[in-house]
Structure formats: C-alpha cells, structure tokens
Amino acid sequence: MKRISLFIVINALSLYIVSRLMHSVYIGSLTSLITLTLIFGCLNVFIKPLIQFFSLPMTFLTLGLFSFVINGIVLKLAFSIVPGAHISGFLNAILAAILLSIINTIFYNVFD
C-alpha cells in the first residue's frame, strides 16, 4: 500500500512539473491533477500493455524507439479523458511523455 501511495504521489508531482515546464501542457486544478494521475495510472496498467503487444513488431523494427510513441499515445488519451487538463498536439504528448519518464526516474531514485 505504501508503494502504491508513493507511485501516485510521484506521478502527480511529475505531471505537475511537466505542466509547469511545457506551455503546451495545461492542468487546471488540483482535482484535475489527481484525476489525471489516477486515470494515467489505470491506462498504464490496463491499456498500455495491449498497445505494446500489438505494436511489438514496430517496436522491434525501431529498436525500441516506438515505445516513446506508445507513451505519448497513453498520455494523450489520459489528457483527453480528464476535464480541466489539456495537451496540445501529439508531438507535444510524446515530448511530455519523455520528460515525464525522466522526472519519474529521478524521483524514484531519490525516494525509493
């Protein structure tokens, strides 16, 4: 339970930092941030593995670089579900996903 709580807090903090660093990412309120964090976590658990499975040949051909596109798809989908949160453009979603993974890696290494 402690690990799940840490995961949620780190993801929320990382999403907030990404929204402050990128002008194309907008999170309107704390409620939107919490909802976005929970939906993004659920999409990562349930939808992302399916997308990864069906795009395995493309990921293999691009030597793993297509995983950035998959992360961008999941992030764009999460932003499209949550009211009060917006990300403009698919390329910005990919860049935000890369930035989000870098920030998450830093926080996990510090707090875990």
Side-chain angles (χ1 to χ4, degrees):
M1 188 67 181
K2 182 179 177 185
R3 197 144 178 87
I4 294 172
S5 301
L6 180 67
F7 174 78
I8 291 171
V9 169
I10 287 176
N11 274 334
L13 188 59
S14 298
L15 281 168
Y16 177 73
I17 291 172
V18 167
S19 73
R20 299 299 293 168
L21 292 175
M22 294 183 67
H23 296 293
S24 59
V25 178
Y26 173 75
I27 300 173
S29 65
L30 182 61
T31 306
S32 296
L33 177 64
I34 293 170
T35 307
L36 180 66
T37 303
L38 294 175
I39 288 178
F40 184 60
C42 290
L43 289 175
N44 274 331
V45 169
F46 297 111
I47 301 298
K48 187 176 176 182
L50 290 173
I51 297 172
Q52 285 176 332
F53 176 74
F54 288 116
S55 66
L56 191 61
M58 181 61 88
T59 305
F60 182 72
L61 287 174
T62 60
L63 302 175
L65 293 176
F66 194 71
S67 63
F68 293 128
V69 175
I70 295 170
N71 289 338
I73 290 170
V74 173
L75 189 63
K76 180 75 172 164
L77 183 62
F79 269 89
S80 67
I81 292 172
V82 176
H86 178 73
I87 190 165
S88 61
F90 184 66
L91 184 60
N92 287 325
I94 294 172
L95 294 174
I98 292 170
L99 188 59
L100 185 68
S101 65
I102 291 170
I103 294 169
N104 274 342
T105 301
I106 292 169
F107 280 142
Y108 281 123
N109 285 333
V110 169
F111 292 115
D112 198 25

